Amino acid sequence: MLTHTYIVLISLFFCSGDKIMSALVAILSIRLNQRYKSFSIDCPLLRSKSSKKMLSKLKILIILLITSEVSLELLQLNEVERFCYPELHQNTRKSCECIEESDPPWGLRAVNIDCSFKDFLTSDLSEVLPLFSDTLHLNWNALETIPQLSSDSLRLLNLMHNNISLVTSNNFAKVKNLKELYLSWNSIRIIEPNAFGELNSLQTLDLSHNNLHILEFNIFSPLKVLDSLYLSWNRNLNNTEGIQNIDLYALFGINDNLRVLRLQSCSLNNTILPERVALQELNLRGNALKRIPELLPDTLEKLDISDNLLETLQDVDTKQLTHVREFYMDDMPYLTTIGEKALFPLKSVEKMSFQNNRRLKAIHELAFGANATHSPSLHSIIFRGSALHSFNITLARIFHQLNVLDLNGVPLRCDCQLAWLKDLTIETNGRCIQPPRLRGLSLRSIRSKDFSCETWPRWLTSIIIFSLIVVCSLAIYLIVIGLRPFGAVVMRRKIGANSPYARVTIEPNRQESY
């Protein structure tokens, strides 16, 4: 690529006028892996007689540059062979897979190295990576420490599924241009101060599924352009002092431009985030929250609060979620009610999910407020697996604007109060559990006239049935009493030798002889 750069500069120097752009386009079309058979530039200045000598020098310079590039390519090939196919592991499963590509749009060299599933130890790896290394996958090995790698071009480093327990200071000092670092599914317990000190270009950091107990103060402050931070499934992370009552950004030195933060299953019962940051996605699934945190960023667009300890969802929980587009509240073990106006603040919401809430039995008729048209962008609601029996007709306006309404596994009571649900044009996968004559039937297969309500209240029917049972029992008793004979009846029996109840001896038959 250096050759192309030099040629472009020379062309711009010698050419002028409207031919500059045509020369530039012609030059940049040459790929690094192409063979150089001929090269020409349509330049009026170089066609003049006075520039023939200069043109000869230019050709010589181009030849020298092409020669140097060929030498560089040979050197690169040797580097790839050394790292990916070392003599010790040639023709074995410990040889890595190295693919050299040309990344668009400029055709830059990029070497992608895959050393996963090789049972590598840290000592098996070379420190110096091949030139133009772009990605290195070392996942699913037996690395006990993070290898000290050296590369100016490495963009992605994948160390997932190893046995790493410690991240030391300046561990990544020689791979300063890393943009993505994946350290999940290890046993990392300690991250030393300044462990990420040299990673000024890092955009994605994954530390999920580890054994982190304590994170140092300002541990992420060197990461000035960090975009995504994953800390999920560190179940003892709540032991970090101040993590539940101090601004998380100030505690760990997180930059204000972070867009994605995942804190799933970290045993948190509270978290505090600043309001004026750029955070768009927050995952708090699987913690011990009893209320949705009061202090959340105004820019939040996706919130997952699933598998926490809330018992009811109220309007005070959602008052700061005015910009949220996706709201997930699944697998809540104690959630029973969605209260009045609880969903009213979600004016920008597009998708809601209340899936597998086994105790959720009631959604208030005014859960979306008195004016049910306040959220025109809402197109998907999922109640799959909840314990809801019915929906008030005040929700009809919201349900009619949906593209997705999932009622699969919801035990619906298909009476006259739910008849309006039959008018929906979308498939809900809902089935009736009551009344018994409609049990197991889908909403789509039931006729509208079958959605009927009982004329008598159920309690009144029970009283009538009980009264009839009592009256019948009393009538039977009186009939039995009426059939008994009048007067005293004496029952006598003789006891003695002449009594018909005397002992009778039965002897076996004797065989007669003839």
Side-chain angles (χ1 to χ4, degrees):
M1 188 60 193
L2 293 175
T3 303
H4 297 162
T5 304
Y6 291 140
I7 295 174
V8 170
L9 292 177
I10 293 170
S11 302
L12 292 176
F13 179 78
F14 284 105
C15 300
S16 61
D18 57 354
K19 298 294 183 178
I20 292 180
M21 290 306 298
S22 61
L24 181 61
V25 171
I27 295 167
L28 292 181
S29 65
I30 302 174
R31 300 291 181 87
L32 289 174
N33 57 352
Q34 289 177 335
R35 295 181 179 179
Y36 296 88
K37 295 183 179 180
S38 61
F39 182 78
S40 62
I41 302 175
D42 185 13
C43 183
L45 181 59
L46 294 178
R47 289 199 304 266
S48 62
K49 295 181 180 180
S50 59
S51 61
K52 288 183 179 180
K53 186 180 296 185
M54 191 177 297
L55 180 59
S56 300
K57 293 181 179 179
L58 176 61
K59 289 182 178 180
I60 294 174
L61 178 60
I62 292 175
I63 292 172
L64 291 175
L65 291 174
I66 293 175
T67 303
S68 65
E69 183 168 329
V70 171
S71 301
L72 186 62
E73 288 180 355
L74 293 175
L75 177 61
Q76 166 66 7
L77 181 61
N78 292 334
E79 288 291 315
V80 172
E81 290 283 341
R82 175 189 58 79
F83 187 89
C84 299
Y85 314 107
E87 294 183 2
L88 183 62
H89 303 304
Q90 279 187 356
N91 300 321
T92 67
R93 66 180 303 272
K94 283 198 171 185
S95 295
C96 299
E97 297 179 10
C98 297
I99 301 175
E100 186 173 353
E101 299 177 348
S102 296
D103 287 347
W106 305 108
L108 295 173
R109 271 200 191 98
V111 179
N112 299 318
I113 307 172
D114 187 355
C115 298
S116 55
F117 296 96
K118 305 298 181 183
D119 294 327
F120 278 150
L121 299 175
T122 305
S123 56
D124 294 329
L125 298 173
S126 172
E127 176 181 347
V128 180
L129 297 180
L131 294 174
F132 309 112
S133 295
D134 186 59
T135 64
L136 175 59
H137 294 274
L138 289 168
N139 50 310
W140 292 102
N141 283 289
L143 304 179
E144 64 278 6
T145 59
I146 296 177
Q148 294 287 343
L149 302 172
S150 177
S151 174
D152 291 332
S153 60
L154 191 64
R155 180 183 58 84
L156 183 150
L157 177 59
N158 182 356
L159 295 169
M160 296 192 297
H161 294 280
N162 281 283
N163 301 323
I164 300 169
S165 59
L166 173 66
V167 182
T168 60
S169 297
N170 298 315
N171 223 145
F172 307 99
K174 296 182 180 180
V175 283
K176 298 181 180 180
N177 294 318
L178 269 183
K179 294 180 186 271
E180 301 177 44
L181 176 59
Y182 298 95
L183 294 168
S184 60
W185 295 98
N186 280 282
S187 302
I188 300 175
R189 184 183 177 93
I190 299 174
I191 300 178
E192 294 183 355
N194 204 36
F196 308 112
E198 303 294 335
L199 300 179
N200 298 324
S201 301
L202 194 67
Q203 298 176 2
T204 300
L205 176 60
D206 188 355
L207 291 167
S208 59
H209 294 275
N210 279 290
N211 194 26
L212 291 172
H213 284 61
I214 297 175
L215 286 177
E216 296 292 334
F217 179 72
N218 276 341
I219 188 68
F220 302 124
S221 58
L223 309 178
K224 302 299 183 182
V225 295
L226 189 64
D227 180 80
S228 302
L229 176 61
Y230 309 145
L231 297 172
S232 299
W233 291 96
N234 287 284
R235 292 190 174 275
N236 296 307
L237 192 61
N238 61 326
N239 293 331
T240 301
E241 184 178 357
I243 193 173
Q244 301 183 103
N245 48 38
I246 298 178
D247 180 354
L248 206 66
Y249 279 58
L251 181 64
F252 295 141
I254 301 174
N255 79 83
D256 292 346
N257 295 319
L258 187 77
R259 292 192 312 108
V260 179
L261 177 61
R262 296 179 182 173
L263 294 168
Q264 180 179 350
S265 299
C266 293
S267 302
L268 303 175
N269 54 40
N270 188 35
T271 185
I272 298 176
L273 301 174
E275 297 183 14
R276 304 300 179 186
V277 292
L279 190 66
Q280 296 180 8
E281 179 182 337
L282 176 62
N283 190 333
L284 293 171
R285 176 187 286 263
N287 285 286
L289 303 174
K290 294 185 177 181
R291 295 254 68 87
I292 296 179
E294 295 182 3
L295 299 178
L296 292 175
D298 297 334
T299 56
L300 204 60
E301 295 184 359
K302 181 178 180 179
L303 175 63
D304 191 342
I305 202 74
S306 304
D307 195 14
N308 277 279
L309 306 182
L310 281 77
E311 297 181 4
T312 61
L313 181 63
Q314 304 172 4
D315 55 344
V316 294
D317 296 315
T318 58
K319 62 182 180 181
Q320 288 190 327
L321 307 181
T322 55
H323 294 92
V324 168
R325 295 183 179 180
E326 297 183 34
F327 182 64
Y328 297 90
M329 208 169 181
D330 305 329
D331 303 302
M332 305 290 284
Y334 302 113
L335 184 66
T336 59
T337 308
I338 299 177
E340 182 179 1
K341 294 185 178 181
L343 305 176
F344 179 76
L346 301 172
K347 298 182 178 181
S348 302
V349 70
E350 298 176 0
K351 180 179 180 180
M352 292 183 182
S353 181
F354 299 94
Q355 190 171 189
N356 295 328
N357 294 318
R358 302 297 182 182
R359 296 190 179 184
L360 178 59
K361 295 184 178 181
I363 176 171
H364 197 277
E365 60 185 24
L366 298 179
F368 288 92
N371 181 12
T373 61
H374 78 289
S375 53
S377 57
L378 181 62
H379 61 76
S380 175
I381 301 181
I382 300 176
F383 288 111
R384 174 193 292 261
S386 65
L388 294 166
H389 292 294
S390 186
F391 300 94
N392 194 279
I393 195 172
T394 55
L395 301 173
R397 188 175 295 179
I398 286 288
F399 284 13
H400 274 288
Q401 76 182 41
L402 299 177
N403 296 326
V404 176
L405 176 61
D406 192 345
L407 301 178
N408 195 0
V410 178
L412 297 174
R413 186 171 59 245
C414 298
D415 54 17
C416 60
Q417 296 181 0
L418 203 63
W420 63 270
L421 206 60
K422 173 72 176 175
D423 298 331
L424 295 179
T425 58
I426 58 175
E427 176 59 59
T428 63
N429 295 316
R431 291 184 178 272
C432 303
I433 195 172
Q434 291 290 342
R437 59 187 173 82
L438 299 178
R439 182 186 295 271
L441 297 179
S442 65
L443 292 177
R444 188 172 291 275
S445 64
I446 301 174
R447 296 174 300 177
S448 298
K449 65 179 182 180
D450 291 332
F451 288 86
S452 58
C453 292
E454 300 175 352
T455 307
W456 294 86
R458 187 169 297 179
W459 61 270
L460 183 57
T461 303
S462 301
I463 292 177
I464 292 174
I465 293 174
F466 179 75
S467 301
L468 290 174
I469 292 173
V470 171
V471 169
C472 290
S473 300
L474 183 60
I476 292 172
Y477 174 77
L478 293 176
I479 291 173
V480 171
I481 294 298
L483 294 176
R484 294 182 62 184
F486 294 97
V489 178
V490 179
M491 303 294 292
R492 296 181 180 180
R493 63 182 177 180
K494 295 179 180 181
I495 301 176
N498 298 324
S499 172
Y501 302 103
R503 178 179 297 177
V504 178
T505 302
I506 302 175
E507 295 181 358
N509 294 333
R510 295 179 181 178
Q511 184 176 4
E512 298 180 0
S513 55
Y514 297 94

